[in-house]
Amino acid sequence: MALMLAVQLDKRRVYVRDVRRPKRPEGYALIRLLVGGICNTDLELQRGYYGFSGIPGHEFVGEVVEADHANLLGRRVVGEINLACRQCEWCQRGLGRHCPKRTVLGIVRYPGAFRELLTLPEVNLHVVPNSISNEEAVFVEPLAATCEILDQATIPEGAGIAVLGDGKLGLLIAQVLTARCMNVHLYGRHPNKLKIAARAGVETFLATKRLPSSAYDWVVEAAGSPHGLSQAIRMVRPRGSVFMKSTIHGTPSLDTARVIVNEIALIGSRCGRFEPALNLLRARSIKVLDMISDSFPLSQAPRAFQRAAERGILKVVLNAG
Amino acid sequence: MALMLAVQLDKRRVYVRDVRRPKRPEGYALIRLLVGGICNTDLELQRGYYGFSGIPGHEFVGEVVEADHANLLGRRVVGEINLACRQCEWCQRGLGRHCPKRTVLGIVRYPGAFRELLTLPEVNLHVVPNSISNEEAVFVEPLAATCEILDQATIPEGAGIAVLGDGKLGLLIAQVLTARCMNVHLYGRHPNKLKIAARAGVETFLATKRLPSSAYDWVVEAAGSPHGLSQAIRMVRPRGSVFMKSTIHGTPSLDTARVIVNEIALIGSRCGRFEPALNLLRARSIKVLDMISDSFPLSQAPRAFQRAAERGILKVVLNAG
């Protein structure tokens, strides 16, 4: 029996173990993991979000080792994380990301990418151009989630937009919106993280006690804390929009009266299309390598998870090369 | 010294007392109250919302007794409740309802309509056509707030839309959206209230424990309870919109993860333009008289407030004729 290494998350504990190699169903590719990225969602899963138990991981770049389509063989790929039914109304509308029957790689009823070999439907895969390194490609999934904002609303060029949070997602969002010629103000608590955005041309602000009130028509909440949304609601102007990006475990309480009186729109925003993300990386419009704080071999995933949860740490990647 | 009767709300207690007749500033009309309507917001003010203390009342119809513009004299009028600066960016954009310097009739730093004589800027006034009775005209303000939904989003004709709550606002919303050819499902807990909507052609449902999940692209939350918004978030389909209409005292907690994963838009919705509301009443497109549960003279305002807070009661009006 062929065994391989996989990361396991059980009852909030992360460990590695040997599991059987997955069988490749028809229409699926078998993919050898090259690099995986630990996302805040993985850390939230560890805190009990979704009551998750299994193999985590949804940010990855890998090499196709078996596939129906021969032109995929040997290619480096990234993969969309929603496995949709491809039959329902959502799938027909090209919104398999909302298919009610979907499973989600490493999040909902589908074993994740943090294992030596994984399977995904070939339709989920995107070939990575040679000019994009493995360490860059691992950012395609969170970058796609960032670009989703641009698919959800028409934000005018030059618009003032506040991004709350200088974590991984906040830094990506600030960079992408700046690349799209918006006037971004990034608010964060970590001078070293803000520096990364500043180097990319983003105007940054150390978030002190008092953030500006009713100051922006557009606010992106990526603080990753229960208070982030309340802050965003205070910062947005009447009739403005707040994009909600932080999936956190729990049910934060909200000043709904302010939302109503000021007629604010709160817009949930999740996964996005991979194409714009690959285009941004290919065009070198944004820099992601600065955001890698540390790197571990797959076998040291428990240490990597621990490291990723430390204060001040950005992206931690797992190498399975 | 000329005195007149006014309702007073202090430390959650409602009483009537004699106060001085208000002086009419330039640009303002002096208006004799004919009928006032008690709104849920008034009851929330009594519960401590906004830390209100003063003369409440913002739904009214009255007769102009003094004004700069002679053509207003003796006319029946309703009045927009936001007193805006008319200078700022919001006011220039015709959105004085969001003027940051505004006061609000009977809600924010401006004495309300529940007094024998009140003043309001003449620009706030709309003359009531003769075909609309006083008892109907008192519904113009909440009707305008209902119509605001139609100004905030383009809901296609025939769209399925759930309205949560069979209180005053829910009944108005269900009727207006039905009049605009939408396929409305009204969910409420009171068979007698649902009947009013059913008579106006609305499809009604007694809200039992289990409401349909992910079933509507559009949901209007008008339940007036902290749980209403959570229910609306469960009922709306991915990528759908929830209009938030219930201003309640407190900060309800929210399943933000569901909002994000399903990419739901939560849209705060408050006051609206008066013109569409007057047009609906003039065209007899909706029925409001069914919704008047009781009527008291202004001098019996404490009893009227008590009555308005009783379970099963809809609009209670104050007569000062």
Side-chain angles (χ1 to χ4, degrees):
Chain A
M1 194 175 70
L3 292 176
M4 65 169 199
L5 203 66
V7 178
Q8 186 75 21
L9 200 168
D10 263 331
K11 295 183 181 137
R12 311 194 174 194
R13 194 167 72 87
V14 177
Y15 56 99
V16 290
R17 62 177 187 136
D18 283 322
V19 298
R20 256 191 239 191
R21 275 177 65 135
K23 288 215 177 83
R24 181 182 75 86
E26 208 189 307
Y28 281 61
L30 185 69
I31 302 157
R32 183 171 65 83
L33 179 66
L34 293 169
V35 178
I38 298 177
C39 169
N40 272 5
T41 301
D42 298 321
L43 302 177
E44 288 292 329
L45 292 179
Q46 203 182 350
R47 287 180 198 122
Y49 179 57
Y50 270 119
F52 182 89
S53 169
I55 301 174
H58 57 277
E59 299 178 0
F60 78 94
V61 53
E63 186 187 315
V64 176
V65 291
E66 281 178 34
D68 287 354
H69 287 86
N71 56 356
L72 278 174
L73 290 172
R75 306 296 295 271
R76 279 191 314 148
V77 292
V78 287
E80 306 215 16
I81 71 174
N82 296 284
L83 291 87
C85 77
R86 299 170 61 193
Q87 310 281 332
C88 74
E89 177 206 336
W90 295 101
C91 291
Q92 311 260 314
R93 282 167 59 194
L95 284 170
R97 305 195 290 277
H98 290 292
C99 169
K101 292 184 186 153
R102 74 183 182 278
T103 57
V104 186
L105 179 70
I107 300 176
V108 183
R109 298 193 318 278
Y110 196 85
F114 296 164
R115 44 182 170 152
E116 285 181 287
L117 289 165
L118 64 140
T119 58
L120 261 189
E122 295 183 16
V123 292
N124 282 44
L125 303 181
H126 296 257
V127 171
V128 178
N130 289 335
S131 64
I132 300 176
S133 70
N134 288 343
E135 284 69 24
E136 289 170 319
V138 85
F139 283 92
V140 167
E141 196 280 332
L143 254 184
T146 293
C147 294
E148 175 71 351
I149 293 171
L150 301 165
D151 270 1
Q152 291 181 289
T154 309
I155 308 173
E157 259 192 33
I161 181 163
V163 177
L164 282 189
D166 55 8
K168 299 180 278 293
L169 197 55
L171 292 178
L172 285 179
I173 292 167
Q175 281 196 65
V176 168
L177 297 177
T178 300
R180 290 296 186 94
C181 303
M182 284 148 207
N183 183 11
V184 177
H185 289 184
L186 174 65
Y187 291 84
R189 297 189 179 281
H190 310 88
N192 60 321
K193 296 182 182 179
L194 290 174
K195 246 180 226 161
I196 294 174
R199 275 201 295 272
V202 177
E203 201 169 341
T204 62
F205 298 84
L206 199 61
T208 48
K209 273 162 290 177
R210 267 194 109 65
L211 294 173
S213 175
S214 293
Y216 297 91
D217 285 323
W218 308 90
V219 177
V220 182
E221 194 289 296
S225 81
H227 305 298
L229 187 55
S230 300
Q231 283 180 324
I233 288 170
R234 280 196 298 273
M235 284 177 85
V236 74
R237 292 182 6 130
R239 294 239 168 166
S241 299
V242 173
F243 293 96
M244 295 165 59
K245 273 294 186 189
S246 303
T247 40
I248 50 159
H249 182 52
T251 55
S253 67
L254 224 67
D255 184 357
T256 53
R258 186 176 175 108
V259 174
I260 292 172
V261 169
N262 285 345
E263 300 196 309
I264 295 164
L266 307 177
I267 304 168
S269 180
R270 185 178 162 252
C271 298
R273 298 179 296 118
F274 272 34
E275 293 85 350
L278 281 163
N279 288 341
L280 278 167
L281 287 175
R282 184 160 40 199
R284 307 264 144 218
S285 301
I286 75 153
K287 293 172 188 170
V288 293
L289 294 180
D290 279 4
M291 290 172 53
I292 297 183
S293 295
D294 217 336
S295 162
F296 293 84
L298 187 63
S299 58
Q300 293 182 23
R303 274 185 61 201
F305 267 72
Q306 217 168 15
R307 183 84 173 123
E310 283 173 23
R311 201 180 147 77
I313 292 302
L314 289 166
K315 184 64 74 189
V316 172
V317 297
L318 294 167
N319 273 296
Chain B
M1 193 175 70
L3 292 177
M4 64 170 198
L5 203 66
V7 178
Q8 186 76 19
L9 201 168
D10 263 330
K11 293 183 182 142
R12 310 192 176 194
R13 194 167 73 87
V14 177
Y15 56 99
V16 289
R17 62 175 185 136
D18 284 323
V19 298
R20 257 190 238 190
R21 277 177 64 137
K23 288 215 176 80
R24 180 183 75 86
E26 208 189 307
Y28 282 60
L30 185 70
I31 303 157
R32 184 171 64 83
L33 180 68
L34 294 168
V35 178
I38 298 177
C39 168
N40 272 3
T41 301
D42 297 321
L43 301 177
E44 288 292 330
L45 292 180
Q46 204 182 351
R47 287 180 198 120
Y49 179 57
Y50 270 120
F52 182 88
S53 169
I55 301 174
H58 58 275
E59 299 178 359
F60 79 95
V61 54
E63 185 187 315
V64 176
V65 290
E66 282 177 32
D68 287 351
H69 287 87
N71 57 355
L72 280 173
L73 290 172
R75 305 297 293 273
R76 279 191 315 146
V77 292
V78 289
E80 306 215 17
I81 71 174
N82 297 284
L83 291 87
C85 77
R86 299 170 64 194
Q87 308 283 333
C88 74
E89 177 206 337
W90 295 100
C91 291
Q92 310 262 314
R93 282 167 58 194
L95 284 171
R97 305 196 290 279
H98 291 293
C99 169
K101 291 183 184 153
R102 75 186 181 277
T103 57
V104 186
L105 180 69
I107 300 176
V108 183
R109 297 194 319 277
Y110 196 85
F114 295 165
R115 45 181 168 152
E116 286 181 284
L117 289 165
L118 64 140
T119 57
L120 260 190
E122 295 182 16
V123 291
N124 282 44
L125 302 181
H126 296 256
V127 171
V128 178
N130 289 335
S131 64
I132 300 176
S133 71
N134 289 343
E135 284 69 23
E136 290 170 320
V138 85
F139 283 92
V140 168
E141 196 279 333
L143 254 184
T146 293
C147 295
E148 175 71 351
I149 292 170
L150 300 165
D151 271 0
Q152 291 182 290
T154 309
I155 308 174
E157 260 192 34
I161 180 162
V163 177
L164 281 190
D166 56 8
K168 299 179 278 292
L169 196 56
L171 291 177
L172 286 179
I173 292 167
Q175 282 197 66
V176 167
L177 297 177
T178 300
R180 291 294 187 94
C181 304
M182 286 149 206
N183 184 12
V184 177
H185 289 185
L186 174 65
Y187 291 85
R189 298 188 178 280
H190 310 88
N192 61 322
K193 296 182 181 179
L194 290 174
K195 246 180 225 159
I196 294 173
R199 275 202 296 274
V202 177
E203 201 170 340
T204 63
F205 298 83
L206 199 61
T208 49
K209 271 163 291 176
R210 264 195 110 67
L211 295 172
S213 175
S214 294
Y216 298 91
D217 285 323
W218 307 91
V219 177
V220 182
E221 193 288 298
S225 81
H227 305 299
L229 186 55
S230 300
Q231 283 179 324
I233 288 170
R234 279 194 299 273
M235 286 176 84
V236 74
R237 289 174 20 120
R239 292 241 170 164
S241 298
V242 173
F243 293 95
M244 296 166 59
K245 272 294 185 190
S246 301
T247 39
I248 50 161
H249 182 53
T251 55
S253 66
L254 225 69
D255 184 357
T256 52
R258 188 177 174 106
V259 175
I260 291 172
V261 169
N262 285 346
E263 300 196 310
I264 295 164
L266 307 176
I267 303 168
S269 181
R270 184 177 162 251
C271 300
R273 296 179 298 119
F274 272 33
E275 294 85 351
L278 281 162
N279 289 340
L280 280 166
L281 287 175
R282 184 160 40 200
R284 307 265 143 217
S285 303
I286 75 155
K287 294 171 189 172
V288 293
L289 295 180
D290 279 3
M291 291 173 51
I292 297 183
S293 295
D294 217 336
S295 162
F296 292 84
L298 188 63
S299 59
Q300 292 181 24
R303 276 186 59 203
F305 266 72
Q306 217 168 17
R307 184 86 173 120
E310 281 173 24
R311 203 179 144 80
I313 293 301
L314 288 167
K315 184 63 74 190
V316 173
V317 297
L318 294 168
N319 272 296

